[in-house]
């Protein structure tokens, strides 16, 4: 094919990292400077088109430079300022939870609709380090039909073509394009950039696309860039070089019938990102869960107690979280001072969520009818999940006079075992911390009563200095290693551990940079923590706790193994004080299971990967299932509350607890022997995980729900007695199918009298189910495809119909490239309805 028979769409852009080797105020200013430069180039070059993503940047300009914003509005209307992305920011595309990706689009696309009368139809994440397999569905249901990305590169992941249909597990497709070579250029002549881009693209492809413009710290296309494009185009020896934009490229190739299909994720690049800076990852997980909890109970309080739904406050909090999910923040690859900003912003978001939640549950709790009773303290326990929750609940309590013991009864007057545990307060007196096992209705509450007296005996957990045993599990600690010698699943008569389990807390050599470039697996073990002490620190009618203490070099590790009566999981509460550099702490969980693959939770989904020891991203759980030496099926799920880097090698799961490279260290630069550097993850860290042995696979074990319970625990609220219209227990949302999880109950975004309910099928199997909403005296019946996300608008008025919406909370009957009727729009191209492609 002769050069001029081909078209190279030249996309002028300016990738801007708002935070990386600088803090956000510098990034904020760079956005203004870059956008002004783009406007200036339009005045000088009548054919210049600028492509912009990250909708937050437009909001920054709107609030700080109204004159510049007016100029952008004009250029958008002319079609010369093209908005792509449709997300608030370019986030890390593996670490945020599924709902965070939904909110990236919800707030961004609605902002575009409100300010510009358009929605973006091209997704754009050119700089993140990998892309999870659920994104095609999340994009399609956000009215985005195309997707541009750079990483992983051709040497990291072969793909069937430069552009291809990218398909997720539910069958949704977007037309994806891997940018050749780079997304940014020097500010000078870009002939070399064009040559390098052409060298890695198919020689017979008639439609090509490359990005140009100074990036990372902003800048955008320069006069020299534009002059060189004009000069090179006039020479005639290259493809035609029109100043274009991504939508024009996708429109040119979309209708071809030879486009290949890629199913699954787009990985890997920089696998150390999943574990760099444990702090920011834990802040993120906590904020996501606090916000979803606050929304659920604020929605309930609106109906039950007439409390106004705090939409503006929760939106502010979500947008702070979304900003801090930017790939160079959440991936842990920015400079150290950037994490002071991130800590404060996540903290502000969490405070908003906690305030909204507290207002909601206090407003509900005050309406519960709690009769007065001598020496009685009522405790109302709230369940944030749409299924019956049976879990241990802990709470602080200023006890009865004379430090008298406490007994507990439920709302029916039945005795409930309760035991004293370690209080947060270290002082003499009546302040104490109590633990008991509660059973709470789906997305509901239940009243328990504390009274003076001895606790009910309960079902004893057998405990010694090395053994914990209840009716379901038996675990035994080996004092010589500090880890389990036995993990026996009594329900299935299965011993899960091999005869020689091997080390548990392993220290791995990690000379790679902050990103973990060029790393496939963390397996160069230097040693392991050595056990110094094992002791039984708690034993009562509710549970028993073994504490294992270990050391390595200057670091210490304490793991408290908690087994409760009735529990099918072993909880481990971990405190590590880490003082190693260029090292990594990997917690390994060996089993006797023979398997070739493992299952990892991803945002709003799961994926099977080879159990070959490669470092992988995961959300709240990882599972290995297979056969034991005797041929029976068995498995182990490992749940976490804020860890994202994992591996699986055969039947052994590894969880990367922390890494300690230097901050913002990028190869090929080396570290000087006498250099002064600050290293990540130094000092004290706390986290929890749970081990869930099971027969069959993770679906039967309820792994998805158990992981959600670890991350959104029940909430106890000490009350007092008062009359009220509410009963002593109530539930407000429940789903019939175990595999369908209602992740969101919230007020809708249009200030109307309706709630929004979002649910996802988690087992990868089609199902028809009913979502019962006693809160509104309504129910929703729906068919879910495998891994399908569905969103419903449920009016408070029972006479109004329930409607299914997309992730933007707009009706499904509009073409995917449009906003609701009456709004302006970008040209779409697919002509399909949201959720499925015509592909």
């Amino acid at each position: 094919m002769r050069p001029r028979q081909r078209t190279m769409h030249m996309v002028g852009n300016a990738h801007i990292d708002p935070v990386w080797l600088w803090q956000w105020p510098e990034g904020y200013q760079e956005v203004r400077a870059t956008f002004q430069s783009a406007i200036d180039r339009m005045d000088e070059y009548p054919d210049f088109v600028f492509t912009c993503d990250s909708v937050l940047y437009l909001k920054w300009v709107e609030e700080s430079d109204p004159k510049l914003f007016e100029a952008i509005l004009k250029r958008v209307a002319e079609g010369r300022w093209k908005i792509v992305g449709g997300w608030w920011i370019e986030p890390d595309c593996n670490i945020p939870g599924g709902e965070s990706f939904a909110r990236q689009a919800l707030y961004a696309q609605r902002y575009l609709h409100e300010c510009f009368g358009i929605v973006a139809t091209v997704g754009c994440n050119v700089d993140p380090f990998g892309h999870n397999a659920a994104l095609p569905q999340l994009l399609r249901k956000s009215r985005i039909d195309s997707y541009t990305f750079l990483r992983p590169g051709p040497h990291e992941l072969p793909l069937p073509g430069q552009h291809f249909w990218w398909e997720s597990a539910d069958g949704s497709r977007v037309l994806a394009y891997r940018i050749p070579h780079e997304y940014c250029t020097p500010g000078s002549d870009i002939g070399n950039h064009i040559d390098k881009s052409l060298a890695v693209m198919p020689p017979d492809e008639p439609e090509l696309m490359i990005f140009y413009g100074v990036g990372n710290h902003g800048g955008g296309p320069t006069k020299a860039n534009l002059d060189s494009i004009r000069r090179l185009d006039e020479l005639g020896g290259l493809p035609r070089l029109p100043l274009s934009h991504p939508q024009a490229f996708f429109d040119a190739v979309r209708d071809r019938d030879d486009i290949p299909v890629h199913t699954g994720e787009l990985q890997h690049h920089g696998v150390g990102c999943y574990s760099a800076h444990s702090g920011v990852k834990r802040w993120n997980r906590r904020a996501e869960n606090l916000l979803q909890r606050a929304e659920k109970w604020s929605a309930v309080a609106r109906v039950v107690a007439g409390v106004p739904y705090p939409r503006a406050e929760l939106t502010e909090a979500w947008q702070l979280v979304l900003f801090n999910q930017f790939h160079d923040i959440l991936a842990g690859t920015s400079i150290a001072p950037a994490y002071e900003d991130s800590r404060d912003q996540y903290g502000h978001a969490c405070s908003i969520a906690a305030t909204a939640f507290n207002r909601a549950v206090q407003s509900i709790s005050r309406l519960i009818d709690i009769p007065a009773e001598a020496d009685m303290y009522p405790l109302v326990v709230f369940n944030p999940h749409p299924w019956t929750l049976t879990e241990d609940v802990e709470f602080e309590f200023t006890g009865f006079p004379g430090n008298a013991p406490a007994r507990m009864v439920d709302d029916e007057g039945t005795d409930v075992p309760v035991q004293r545990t370690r209080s947060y307060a270290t002082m003499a007196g009546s302040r104490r911390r109590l633990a008991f096992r509660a059973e709470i209705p789906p997305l509901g509450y239940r009243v328990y009563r504390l009274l003076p007296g001895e606790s009910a005996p309960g079902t004893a957990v057998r405990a010694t200095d090395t053994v914990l045993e209840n009716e379901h599990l038996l675990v035994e600690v080996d004092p010589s290693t500090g880890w389990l010698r036995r993990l026996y699943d009594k329900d299935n008569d299965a011993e899960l551990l091999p005869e020689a389990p091997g080390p548990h807390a392993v220290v791995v050599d990690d000379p790679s940079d902050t990103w973990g470039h060029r790393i496939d697996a963390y397996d160069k073990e230097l040693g392991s923590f050595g056990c110094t002490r094992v002791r039984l620190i708690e034993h009562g009618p509710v549970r028993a706790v073994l504490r294992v203490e270990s050391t390595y070099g200057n670091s210490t590790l304490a793991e408290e193994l908690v087994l409760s009566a009735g529990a099918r999981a072993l909880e481990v509460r971990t405190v590590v004080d880490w003082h190693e550099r260029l090292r990594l702490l990997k917690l390994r969980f060996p089993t006797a299971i023979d398997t070739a693959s493992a299952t990892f939770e991803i945002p709003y989904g799961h994926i099977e990967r080879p159990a070959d020891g490669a470092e992988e991203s995961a959300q709240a759980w990882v599972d290995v299932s297979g056969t034991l030496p005797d041929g029976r099926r068995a498995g182990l799920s490992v749940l976490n509350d804020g860890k994202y880097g994992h591996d699986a090698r055969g039947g052994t799961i590894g969880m990367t607890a922390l890494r300690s490279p230097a901050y913002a260290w990028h190869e090929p630069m080396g570290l000087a022997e006498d250099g002064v550097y600050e290293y990540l993850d130094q000092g004290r860290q706390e986290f929890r995980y749970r081990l869930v042995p099971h027969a069959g696979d993770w679906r039967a074990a309820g792994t998805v729900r158990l992981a959600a319970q670890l991350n959104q625990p029940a909430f106890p609220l000490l009350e007092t007695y008062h009359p009220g219209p509410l009963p002593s227990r109530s539930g407000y949302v429940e789903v019939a199918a175990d595999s369908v999880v209602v992740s969101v109950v919230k007020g809708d975004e249009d200030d109307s009298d309706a709630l929004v309910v979002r649910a996802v099928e988690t087992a990868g199997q089609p199902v028809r189910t009913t979502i019962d909403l006693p809160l509104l005296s309504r129910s929703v019946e729906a068919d879910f495809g495998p891994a399908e996300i569905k969103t419903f608008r449920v009016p408070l008025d029972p006479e109004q119909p329930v409607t299914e919406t997309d992730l933007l909370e707009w009706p499904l009957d509009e073409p995917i490239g449009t906003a609701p009727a009456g709004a302006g729009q970008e040209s779409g191209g697919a002509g399909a309805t949201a959720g499925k492609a015509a592909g």
Side-chain angles (χ1 to χ4, degrees):
M1 183 178 292
R2 293 183 63 81
R4 301 306 280 181
Q5 294 176 300
R6 310 172 78 194
T7 298
M8 176 89 79
H9 294 259
M10 303 299 295
V11 177
N13 82 114
H15 177 69
I16 303 174
D17 292 325
V19 176
W20 180 28
L21 309 180
W22 45 86
Q23 293 174 257
W24 71 269
E26 186 173 339
Y28 189 111
Q29 187 279 329
E30 187 55 43
V31 166
R32 287 193 292 107
T34 298
F35 283 9
Q36 184 62 61
S37 175
I39 292 294
D40 293 343
R41 297 295 81 75
M42 289 181 184
D43 293 338
E44 299 157 351
Y45 296 82
D47 56 346
F48 172 55
V49 180
F50 182 69
T51 293
C52 162
D53 76 346
S54 296
V55 173
L56 171 61
Y57 301 163
L58 294 166
K59 183 182 179 187
W60 280 357
V61 172
E62 181 188 23
E63 70 187 17
S64 64
D65 194 337
K67 182 178 178 181
L68 176 57
F69 191 71
E70 286 297 321
I72 294 172
L73 282 169
K74 177 183 175 182
R75 295 304 188 182
V76 170
E78 291 176 354
R80 294 181 61 197
W81 186 292
K82 293 294 184 179
I83 299 175
V84 298
W87 283 3
W88 202 240
I89 204 80
E90 281 194 26
D92 181 275
C93 290
N94 283 305
I95 300 172
E99 188 56 27
S100 288
F101 290 104
R103 300 309 172 95
Q104 288 281 353
L106 174 70
Y107 299 122
Q109 295 281 55
R110 280 178 164 261
Y111 178 86
L112 293 176
H113 172 215
E114 177 183 348
C115 292
F116 300 93
I118 65 171
V119 293
T121 59
V122 177
C124 185
N125 280 300
V126 298
D127 201 19
F129 315 122
H131 309 261
N132 76 76
L135 284 184
Q137 179 180 191
L138 289 159
L139 292 163
R140 293 294 301 195
K141 291 191 172 179
S142 304
R143 308 199 172 213
I144 295 169
D145 58 22
S146 315
Y147 192 66
T148 58
F149 69 101
L150 174 68
R151 303 185 183 96
H155 63 292
E156 295 166 320
L157 177 68
L159 287 169
Q162 198 74 35
H163 64 273
F164 54 92
W165 288 112
W166 184 22
E167 184 174 279
S168 54
D170 74 305
S172 294
R173 288 181 178 181
V174 293
L175 187 54
Y177 180 84
R178 177 157 61 188
I179 298 168
H181 181 47
E182 261 292 357
Y183 54 76
C184 60
T185 61
S188 54
D189 186 288
I190 63 170
N192 187 53
H193 174 69
I194 292 175
D195 289 343
K196 288 187 175 181
S197 298
L198 283 170
V200 298
M201 289 194 289
D204 56 350
E205 174 57 55
E207 298 287 339
L208 308 167
M209 177 169 63
I210 69 171
F211 282 43
Y212 72 95
V214 179
N216 289 336
H217 199 264
T222 66
K223 293 180 182 180
N225 289 165
L226 293 163
D227 289 342
S228 67
I229 293 172
R230 180 179 298 168
R231 178 183 66 82
L232 293 165
D233 192 34
E234 290 173 350
L235 291 175
L238 292 172
R240 295 188 309 110
L241 303 177
L243 302 184
S244 188
H245 55 90
Q247 188 66 64
F249 167 78
F250 284 116
D251 286 348
V253 302
R254 184 181 307 277
D255 293 333
R256 288 168 42 173
D257 57 9
D258 60 345
I259 300 175
V261 177
H262 173 80
T263 302
E265 59 190 348
L266 301 173
Q267 310 286 14
H268 299 86
H269 179 90
V271 297
C273 293
Y274 311 145
S275 47
H277 203 298
S278 296
V280 74
K281 292 170 172 60
R282 187 168 175 82
W283 304 335
N284 179 74
R285 180 77 66 85
R286 180 169 181 262
E288 288 177 325
N289 281 283
L290 289 179
L291 279 166
Q292 289 176 254
R293 183 186 72 168
E295 287 178 335
K296 294 172 191 173
W297 282 102
S298 293
V300 173
R302 177 186 180 187
V303 177
V304 171
V307 177
Y309 186 80
R311 180 176 294 99
E313 296 95 322
L314 292 172
T315 296
E316 177 189 2
W318 266 113
Q319 290 176 357
L320 283 168
V321 171
L322 299 181
F323 172 70
N324 281 280
Q325 290 174 344
F326 178 72
H327 51 270
D328 279 318
I329 301 175
L330 189 53
T333 54
S334 292
I335 58 174
Y339 291 100
E340 296 178 11
D341 300 332
S342 183
R343 175 201 62 206
D344 294 346
Q345 291 163 358
Y346 270 119
H348 185 41
C350 289
S351 179
I352 291 172
T355 299
F357 172 74
N358 180 66
R359 183 189 306 126
V361 296
Q362 297 271 3
S363 299
I364 295 166
S365 186
R366 71 176 176 83
L367 298 177
I368 301 173
D369 184 33
I370 305 177
E373 186 176 348
D375 297 325
M376 183 271 290
Y377 289 82
L379 182 78
V380 185
V381 185
F382 292 86
N383 170 16
H385 303 289
W387 58 80
T388 300
L389 180 66
T390 304
E391 281 278 347
D392 284 4
V393 173
E394 296 182 20
F395 63 98
E396 295 281 326
F397 170 61
T398 300
F400 301 108
N403 208 21
R407 60 183 285 258
M408 178 170 283
V409 297
D410 63 19
D411 57 308
E412 297 176 343
T414 303
D415 275 282
V416 177
V418 61
Q419 81 181 52
R420 192 163 183 170
T421 187
R422 187 169 61 244
S423 174
Y424 291 136
T426 306
M427 58 183 297
S430 58
R431 189 67 175 175
R432 67 184 75 173
R433 187 170 184 83
L434 300 178
F436 72 103
R437 199 156 186 83
E439 183 177 303
I440 320 156
L443 194 60
Y445 67 82
R446 188 175 186 182
V447 177
Y448 290 84
R449 292 176 292 150
L450 275 171
L451 297 161
E454 296 294 334
S455 169
T459 303
V461 176
R462 184 173 75 89
T464 70
D465 284 340
T466 57
V467 174
L468 301 175
E469 182 181 7
N470 67 6
E471 58 269 52
H472 303 293
L473 296 177
L474 183 153
V475 298
E476 181 179 357
V477 173
D478 182 349
S480 67
T481 65
W483 190 236
L484 303 185
R485 176 186 288 136
R486 296 188 67 192
L487 178 56
Y488 178 58
D489 181 354
K490 297 170 68 175
D491 293 337
N492 302 301
D493 188 25
E495 190 72 69
L496 266 72
L497 299 191
E499 290 186 8
H504 164 59
V506 176
V507 178
V508 177
D509 185 33
D510 180 17
S512 62
D513 66 12
T514 316
W515 286 256
H517 284 124
R518 322 300 176 199
I519 292 293
D520 174 63
Y522 290 109
D523 53 8
K524 297 178 181 177
E525 297 181 7
L526 298 174
S528 61
F529 275 74
C531 182
T532 59
R533 189 180 188 188
V534 180
R535 56 190 170 122
L536 183 67
I537 62 170
E538 187 177 330
H539 191 197
V542 177
R543 67 190 189 192
V545 182
L546 281 175
R547 180 178 174 87
V548 181
E549 298 171 357
S550 306
T551 63
Y552 177 90
N554 295 318
S555 302
T556 61
L557 173 68
E559 293 189 293
E560 294 185 354
L561 282 58
V562 183
L563 186 62
S564 300
R568 288 181 164 82
L570 176 70
E571 178 166 305
V572 183
R573 302 178 178 181
T574 305
V575 178
V576 57
D577 189 10
W578 180 254
H579 297 281
E580 314 304 316
R581 296 177 176 180
L582 304 182
R583 303 286 185 268
L584 176 149
L585 175 59
K586 178 80 75 169
L587 300 183
R588 298 205 184 279
F589 308 100
T591 73
I593 296 166
D594 181 25
T595 183
S597 66
T599 307
F600 299 73
E601 186 187 33
I602 63 173
Y604 274 158
H606 65 271
I607 191 167
E608 287 191 19
R609 297 171 175 141
D612 59 4
E615 188 77 356
E616 303 281 3
S617 63
Q619 293 279 307
W621 59 269
V622 177
D623 180 85
V624 290
S625 296
T627 56
L628 293 169
D630 62 9
R632 287 181 300 147
R633 294 281 300 173
L636 177 70
S637 296
V638 178
L639 324 178
N640 72 82
D641 71 351
K643 300 300 178 185
Y644 295 90
H646 296 77
D647 64 42
R649 187 180 296 278
T652 296
I653 294 173
M655 179 170 69
T656 304
L658 46 83
R659 290 184 62 223
S660 55
Y663 274 91
W665 169 34
H666 196 304
E667 64 163 28
M669 179 183 174
L671 299 179
E673 290 186 6
D674 60 349
V676 178
Y677 305 105
E678 188 169 356
Y679 293 84
L680 277 73
D681 284 352
Q682 301 295 293
R684 179 185 172 90
Q685 299 184 50
E686 298 184 32
F687 56 94
R688 298 187 182 196
Y689 61 87
R690 289 179 181 172
L691 307 182
V692 184
H694 58 82
D697 73 0
W698 53 270
R699 296 170 180 84
T703 292
V704 173
R705 289 187 172 189
L706 292 171
Q709 291 171 197
L710 176 63
N711 283 272
Q712 283 189 48
F715 179 81
L717 176 65
L718 281 166
E719 254 295 347
T720 188
Y721 51 82
H722 41 61
L726 297 182
S728 58
R729 79 162 100 172
S730 191
Y732 296 111
V733 179
E734 186 172 12
V735 188
D738 289 345
S739 66
V740 174
V741 171
V742 171
S743 58
V744 171
V745 180
K746 63 183 285 290
D748 83 328
E749 293 297 314
D750 294 316
D751 294 313
S752 61
D753 289 330
L755 299 182
V756 168
V757 177
R758 182 146 40 248
V760 59
E761 196 286 316
T762 64
Q765 301 167 347
V767 65
R768 181 171 181 82
T769 192
T770 300
I771 302 173
D772 288 315
L773 302 166
L775 176 67
L776 302 177
S777 300
R778 309 193 69 160
S779 63
V780 179
E781 288 193 6
D783 291 303
F784 285 78
E788 186 175 10
I789 306 162
K790 284 185 177 288
T791 306
F792 303 95
R793 182 182 179 274
V794 186
L796 304 187
D797 180 358
E799 299 301 316
Q800 297 296 316
V802 175
T803 55
E804 186 175 352
T805 75
D806 57 22
L807 293 176
L808 310 181
E809 301 178 18
W810 289 339
L812 290 181
D813 56 1
E814 299 287 344
I816 194 169
T818 69
Q825 65 186 66
E826 292 271 35
S827 63
T833 56
K836 300 289 179 181

